[in-house]
Amino acid sequence: MNPICVSVIIPAYNASATLAQALEALSKQNCFQPFEVIVVDDGSVDNTADIVRSFTSVKYVRQENAGPASARNHGAQFARGEFLAFTDSDCIPHEDWISQLMAGFGQTQVGVVSGSYGIANPDSWLARCIFKEILWRHTHLMPDFPNSFGSYNFCVRKNVFDKVGGFNTAYRTASGEDNDLSYKITSSGWRIYFERKALVDHYHPTQVVKYLKEQFRHGFWRVKMYKDHPRMIKGDGYTYWKDIIEIPLAGCVLLCGLAGLSILLILLLFEIISAFIVTRCFFDGIFFSFLLLGRAFARMIGFSTGILSLLHQKVLKILQ
């Protein structure tokens, strides 16, 4: 029996709606390297466990709910492969996904190969707009050797993952833990290769309120990420210049009262230009402009909340 080369690890929390599609796609990989699939059930209360057990070749691991970073680390403890490939329970890997990721390790000093997104729900207006923005960033911003990757689609040498300590489990929600791991790996001298042909189709958000809540979390956890990695405040390979200025602009709108209206118009203009560049469609552009404006405020409020939380922790330490 051939030794396992790649261990595919999927964190899953109440993932019954999409997990079967992910596992079915993994069963059809045209991959020459022997691989295993490990699903870590992060304390689900639906029938996630039953779905996993219906795939007899998939290893099932359960833990008390502790977040995706913890679940991925837990899965890595059971991995037998020299390489760890990570994707999410709402992602459907293309049939050549593992092969495309593994091919990238032929580059010099590459410790991680990351991939890109497709879209699993193109019938949703919101999902289409979000996907178009991601695709634009991956096409126009991401270099071949970026300094960050997304946890939804990457493969890492297990010895590299173990050496840097894996994911930081202080990130309890899916926001910032992949950036943190990226920066630890690149700081240790390894390179990240971005393989655009390694694709997983993703169920992008379909509800505006849920999406804005996610963006609030992104803003909140950015505070910890920048505290731990201050050199990354200027952004990484995924960052657009607008991302840097829109949070302080949104803050100024709220702080400046009536004077903030002019700043709001400037911010809206930035969002309109960005939305039309990304969507290349009049109606999608109009809709996405206001969504991006809402996202800027959600991130700003989340970021401000994160700063207040950090200050609160410091005060408590002083008082102890």
Side-chain angles (χ1 to χ4, degrees):
M1 183 176 180
N2 292 332
I4 298 297
C5 178
V6 184
S7 297
V8 179
I9 299 170
I10 303 175
Y13 176 69
N14 292 343
S16 59
T18 57
L19 182 58
Q21 289 179 278
L23 297 179
E24 184 68 27
L26 287 169
S27 72
K28 298 177 180 178
Q29 290 291 298
N30 57 7
C31 177
F32 294 108
Q33 296 92 348
F35 70 94
E36 64 179 352
V37 179
I38 302 169
V39 174
V40 183
D41 185 345
D42 187 30
S44 298
V45 294
D46 64 356
N47 64 331
T48 290
D50 296 332
I51 291 172
V52 178
R53 288 171 179 144
S54 70
F55 291 82
T56 55
S57 61
V58 176
K59 183 181 293 184
Y60 174 77
V61 178
R62 183 176 173 86
Q63 67 174 31
E64 293 300 316
N65 182 255
S70 172
R72 295 187 190 104
N73 288 350
H74 197 174
Q77 294 174 11
F78 292 88
R80 294 178 289 162
E82 297 177 52
F83 296 85
L84 308 177
F86 292 88
T87 189
D88 290 331
S89 59
D90 59 353
C91 292
I92 306 170
H94 286 205
E95 63 180 15
D96 62 346
W97 175 62
I98 295 176
S99 297
Q100 293 288 359
L101 287 174
M102 292 304 296
F105 285 100
Q107 304 284 342
T108 304
Q109 198 60 18
V110 167
V112 176
V113 178
S114 65
S116 187
Y117 268 141
I119 182 170
N121 52 345
D123 53 323
S124 165
W125 193 11
L126 175 59
R128 283 200 313 273
C129 289
I130 293 171
F131 170 65
K132 286 180 180 180
E133 184 192 23
I134 294 169
L135 185 63
W136 185 86
R137 288 174 184 264
H138 282 181
T139 302
H140 295 88
L141 299 181
M142 290 284 277
D144 290 340
F145 294 95
N147 53 8
S148 67
F149 54 78
S151 56
Y152 64 92
N153 183 353
F154 79 99
C155 187
V156 58
R157 298 179 190 271
K158 189 174 188 301
N159 63 325
V160 173
F161 184 85
D162 291 341
K163 184 177 180 180
V164 301
F167 286 96
N168 185 342
T169 58
Y171 293 90
R172 289 276 305 186
T173 59
S175 192
E177 80 283 6
D178 42 11
N179 295 82
D180 177 84
L181 180 60
S182 304
Y183 305 152
K184 289 191 295 186
I185 289 173
T186 54
S187 294
S188 65
W190 291 94
R191 304 173 84 193
I192 300 166
Y193 179 66
F194 183 50
E195 176 50 76
R196 291 165 171 79
K197 293 182 289 186
L199 296 171
V200 296
D201 291 341
H202 181 235
Y203 282 92
H204 298 285
T206 59
Q207 299 176 14
V208 171
V209 173
K210 183 177 179 181
Y211 177 67
L212 294 180
K213 285 181 178 178
E214 290 178 1
Q215 298 306 309
F216 172 89
R217 290 200 305 270
H218 289 325
F220 180 88
W221 287 106
R222 286 268 155 184
V223 176
K224 174 175 172 52
M225 190 179 68
Y226 291 150
K227 175 179 174 291
D228 295 341
H229 307 278
R231 64 187 177 88
M232 300 313 302
I233 292 177
K234 65 181 183 298
D236 54 34
Y238 190 74
T239 305
Y240 187 32
W241 62 265
K242 181 178 70 64
D243 301 331
I244 298 173
I245 68 169
E246 66 182 5
I247 290 180
L249 283 179
C252 288
V253 170
L254 296 183
L255 293 174
C256 294
L258 291 177
L261 290 176
S262 58
I263 303 174
L264 177 63
L265 291 175
I266 293 172
L267 180 57
L268 178 59
L269 178 62
F270 284 147
E271 304 298 11
I272 290 172
I273 294 171
S274 179
F276 277 92
I277 289 175
V278 167
T279 63
R280 298 179 179 274
C281 171
F282 178 79
F283 292 106
D284 284 358
I286 293 295
F287 164 75
F288 202 45
S289 298
F290 287 95
L291 181 68
L292 292 179
L293 184 66
R295 185 177 76 180
F297 281 96
R299 287 179 174 177
M300 181 273 298
I301 295 170
F303 192 78
S304 302
T305 305
I307 292 175
L308 292 174
S309 176
L310 181 63
L311 291 174
H312 179 251
Q313 292 171 19
K314 289 187 174 181
V315 170
L316 290 178
K317 284 184 178 180
I318 293 172
L319 295 177
Q320 286 176 353

